[in-house]
Amino acid sequence: MEGSSYQIDLGNLMAYDSNHHFQSVPSSRVELVKHCLEKGTEMVQAIADSLFSLPSTESRDGPVVKLPAPTTKLPREKHLPKPKPPTKWETFAKMKGIKKRKKNKRVWDEQTSSWKRTHGYDRANDDRDIPILDAKSTDEVGVDPFAKRNAEKKERVKKQEKNRLDNLKKAAKAGALPSHIQLAATALPITGTKKDVPKKASKDELESVAGMAATSTASGGKFDKKLPGEKPPKHSGKHRKFLPVVEGKGIGSKEKQQTEKILNQLLSKSSHEILDVNKAVTMFNVKKEKQRKRDKDANPGKSGKLKPNKKSFKKTSTKKKN
Amino acid sequence: MRPLDEKETTLVFEKLFKFVGPNLKHIIERPAVEGPDPGGYCFRLHKNRVYYASESLVRRATSIARPKLVSLGLPIGKITKSGQFRLTIHSLDLLAAHARNKIWLKPAAEMTFLYGNSVTKSMLARITENTKAGDGVVVLSMSDLSLGFGVAARSTQDCRKAETNAVVVHHQADNGEYLRNEEEL
């Protein structure tokens, strides 16, 4: 839709001015911002004008307008799909020149004389529906031909699955994996980081989760049928051990140990309070005094303090003579 | 009924230590006299109450079913829902026998204490030396009859300096509780 001078794309609610250029380079960032805001306001006004020109329907919240399809082409979000490498069968068919043939949806079934589908449930000419198998000369005695047929079929199915996976791997190597398989493959995220991918649970995690789920049953998981090889759940809750009420004649050795331990801890913690320092000091001094007194009584002559001064008053010849 | 585990034992012992101090050893290692082949005394927990009973009594009590067992020996206290241990009035005998700090009340003041009030300085007649604030004290009358127990609010020195209305001992349990709180005990 052409506006006054703008190209308006209502589908994207976008207005584009192809003739815009700055008259003069604005001097500062503030001016630039102001200029841009003015221009933007004009263009939003143009979008609003064209919106109101559209036919509107009445709804509960007011007039509702259905936007037309967007006209601007946006670039591609994801890359173009890469050409995938041919599968094993395709290469073989190309080599041999085998062309694809159109198959009918319904085929005539001889056994039941009816039209049955070609593939799938209740199909025509199914191998398993044959009740009697003629014994061939190559068959051994004692081998069940029906079982043999089933086993062969299983083998074929397994082989086919292997081939399919191999083809996918080849395609993945070339980067051309079909998108639904790409989505399913958890190790290869298309968008987002590897952290968004849920990690495979480890053995311990699975065991613990299985244990938790088991304990949430009514009987705590005790009578659940266990798979072969599943270990009984480890009791992972808080384990509170209690001493036995009565061991032997009354107190058991463990309880005695425990009480002793706690008693010793308590006493040692408060040993500074038990010892009254002042009292201890006085007691020590008194003891020492007593000891001294006893010593004095035992050896009266040896006390140094009470010895009389043995000074001689005689005038001796040691006096210096001039 | 089960023995106390380590945490509970520490709680009980610490509380008792506040009142009896090193005499705690005597409480724990007291030789019993009753019953055939008496051993010592032990603590047992039953329905959040801690009981102090002789070993032979405990042994005989194991034959009573748990919901039918009401009490066993001496119920010294209970462990509250928040994990604290509180001494109840029943432990008074045990505490009075081994207490370190005692306080004697004047005859006029006995009744107020028995009604559940704290001890003020005016009620105080005697107090042991070396009582520190926060110590457990046993409250006695002048005739040496134990009335209850509590926690000292001040040390002995501070008691002398305090005014007459100052609280000296915070009340914790008294003999009047046997009448007042008959259902709870």
Side-chain angles (χ1 to χ4, degrees):
Chain A
M1 270 198 188
E2 292 288 308
S4 49
S5 55
Y6 308 133
Q7 290 168 6
I8 297 182
D9 176 11
L10 275 176
N12 285 328
L13 282 176
M14 192 182 82
Y16 173 61
D17 183 8
S18 45
N19 300 327
H20 175 80
H21 60 271
F22 282 113
Q23 246 78 21
S24 56
V25 176
S27 44
S28 74
R29 186 141 186 97
V30 176
E31 281 228 13
L32 176 65
V33 166
K34 206 171 77 162
H35 188 82
C36 288
L37 278 177
E38 279 169 14
K39 200 74 175 120
T41 326
E42 286 172 28
M43 299 180 80
V44 169
Q45 189 60 53
I47 297 177
D49 290 342
S50 42
L51 266 181
F52 273 96
S53 66
L54 286 176
S56 64
T57 54
E58 276 298 317
S59 91
R60 201 176 46 151
D61 303 314
V64 169
V65 152
K66 186 163 160 46
L67 295 175
T71 52
T72 39
K73 276 192 165 180
L74 293 170
R76 220 186 139 78
E77 183 194 340
K78 298 197 186 8
H79 56 84
L80 277 167
K82 294 203 189 80
K84 62 177 196 175
T87 63
K88 251 176 108 177
W89 168 255
E90 280 172 7
T91 44
F92 178 75
K94 200 162 165 199
M95 189 183 67
K96 288 274 183 162
I98 303 172
K99 292 272 182 331
K100 273 197 197 172
R101 249 187 304 178
K102 192 86 187 274
K103 281 222 167 83
N104 294 326
K105 287 222 182 91
R106 303 240 159 213
V107 182
W108 179 251
D109 180 27
E110 281 299 332
Q111 276 227 306
T112 55
S113 308
S114 61
W115 288 97
K116 284 198 179 168
R117 57 179 70 110
T118 332
H119 306 289
Y121 175 72
D122 191 30
R123 52 177 168 268
N125 305 324
D126 195 357
D127 251 355
R128 297 187 177 189
D129 290 343
I130 303 171
I132 302 169
L133 286 169
D134 296 327
K136 290 204 287 259
S137 51
T138 51
D139 280 347
E140 301 164 12
V141 175
V143 162
D144 180 9
F146 297 102
K148 207 163 96 169
R149 275 196 166 197
N150 284 344
E152 277 172 11
K153 168 99 194 211
K154 282 216 174 91
E155 283 296 319
R156 271 180 278 141
V157 167
K158 263 209 283 196
K159 180 168 172 285
Q160 175 57 27
E161 185 67 21
K162 185 163 104 44
N163 285 345
R164 184 181 80 93
L165 287 175
D166 282 342
N167 286 332
L168 281 175
K169 279 193 206 145
K170 253 201 341 200
K173 215 158 71 163
L177 203 60
S179 54
H180 60 284
I181 298 177
Q182 176 94 329
L183 280 169
T186 53
L188 315 159
I190 310 169
T191 52
T193 59
K194 222 169 179 185
K195 273 193 254 170
D196 297 335
V197 164
K199 263 210 304 217
K200 246 180 159 175
S202 66
K203 184 173 161 196
D204 301 313
E205 266 178 59
L206 280 174
E207 268 183 15
S208 78
V209 167
M212 275 193 262
T215 48
S216 64
T217 55
S219 52
K222 261 172 75 175
F223 305 111
D224 285 347
K225 279 207 197 82
K226 291 233 170 359
L227 295 169
E230 193 181 335
K231 291 190 216 148
K234 286 181 268 194
H235 186 93
S236 60
K238 266 202 265 188
H239 231 119
R240 241 192 124 177
K241 266 207 268 179
F242 291 126
L243 295 164
V245 172
V246 172
E247 215 178 324
K249 285 290 159 77
I251 288 191
S253 57
K254 278 221 184 89
E255 193 185 337
K256 262 213 193 80
Q257 263 182 3
Q258 185 183 282
T259 46
E260 252 187 55
K261 179 173 116 179
I262 293 177
L263 186 65
N264 287 336
Q265 272 179 356
L266 205 55
L267 290 179
S268 61
K269 243 198 288 184
S270 50
S271 56
H272 58 277
E273 284 172 20
I274 293 172
L275 184 63
D276 185 4
V277 183
N278 294 334
K279 198 169 177 189
V281 166
T282 31
M283 275 179 69
F284 178 73
N285 283 341
V286 163
K287 213 170 171 187
K288 223 170 166 206
E289 278 290 332
K290 274 202 189 137
Q291 180 85 325
R292 246 189 282 149
K293 212 176 177 184
R294 233 187 301 133
D295 286 342
K296 224 196 324 164
D297 287 338
N299 314 321
K302 281 222 172 146
S303 64
K305 280 192 178 171
L306 296 178
K307 248 195 226 170
N309 266 349
K310 281 216 168 143
K311 227 178 184 182
S312 157
F313 292 110
K314 267 191 196 166
K315 287 187 181 169
T316 53
S317 53
T318 53
K319 208 173 171 187
K320 272 189 181 170
K321 272 188 179 157
N322 281 349
Chain B
M1 170 170 53
R2 63 167 171 86
L4 306 172
D5 71 359
E6 280 210 28
K7 257 200 315 187
E8 291 157 0
T9 327
T10 11
L11 284 174
V12 172
F13 283 10
E14 276 180 12
K15 228 355 167 353
L16 287 174
F17 186 80
K18 280 208 185 102
F19 283 85
V20 303
N23 291 337
L24 187 58
K25 212 164 169 1
H26 298 161
I27 290 184
I28 293 172
E29 291 169 5
R30 177 169 151 206
V33 285
E34 60 105 12
D37 194 5
Y41 277 83
C42 57
F43 295 91
R44 288 289 180 266
L45 186 78
H46 178 65
K47 286 195 183 164
N48 282 23
R49 278 175 189 266
V50 180
Y51 297 96
Y52 175 72
S54 70
E55 289 171 23
S56 46
L57 186 65
V58 166
R59 191 138 186 273
R60 280 173 279 158
T62 53
S63 57
I64 302 176
R66 275 189 204 180
K68 299 251 161 55
L69 179 65
V70 173
S71 181
L72 163 76
L74 187 70
I76 49 173
K78 64 192 226 179
I79 296 201
T80 60
K81 288 223 168 76
S82 60
Q84 314 278 1
F85 175 68
R86 289 211 172 282
L87 286 166
T88 48
I89 184 60
H90 303 282
S91 57
L92 182 58
D93 280 344
L94 197 64
L95 293 179
H98 298 96
R100 265 200 308 181
N101 306 314
K102 301 186 192 146
I103 165 174
W104 285 261
L105 293 184
K106 297 184 186 150
E110 284 166 28
M111 283 315 285
T112 68
F113 180 72
L114 288 176
Y115 282 135
N117 301 319
S118 301
V119 176
T120 56
K121 187 171 169 216
S122 52
M123 295 156 57
L124 198 59
R126 257 167 74 188
I127 183 167
T128 39
E129 290 281 335
N130 308 329
T131 312
K132 281 186 271 317
D135 266 355
V137 290
V138 172
V139 176
L140 310 165
S141 74
M142 283 317 288
S143 46
D144 278 338
L145 188 68
S146 45
L147 299 173
F149 56 86
V151 171
R154 299 154 183 273
S155 64
T156 323
Q157 259 83 326
D158 290 345
C159 281
R160 298 208 185 99
K161 294 187 238 161
E163 24 178 81
T164 47
N165 279 340
V167 164
V168 167
V169 169
H170 293 297
H171 163 281
Q172 272 188 354
D174 66 89
N175 274 340
E177 281 183 20
Y178 284 113
L179 294 171
R180 291 197 307 270
N181 303 336
E182 218 180 299
E183 308 94 46
E184 286 164 21
L185 290 178

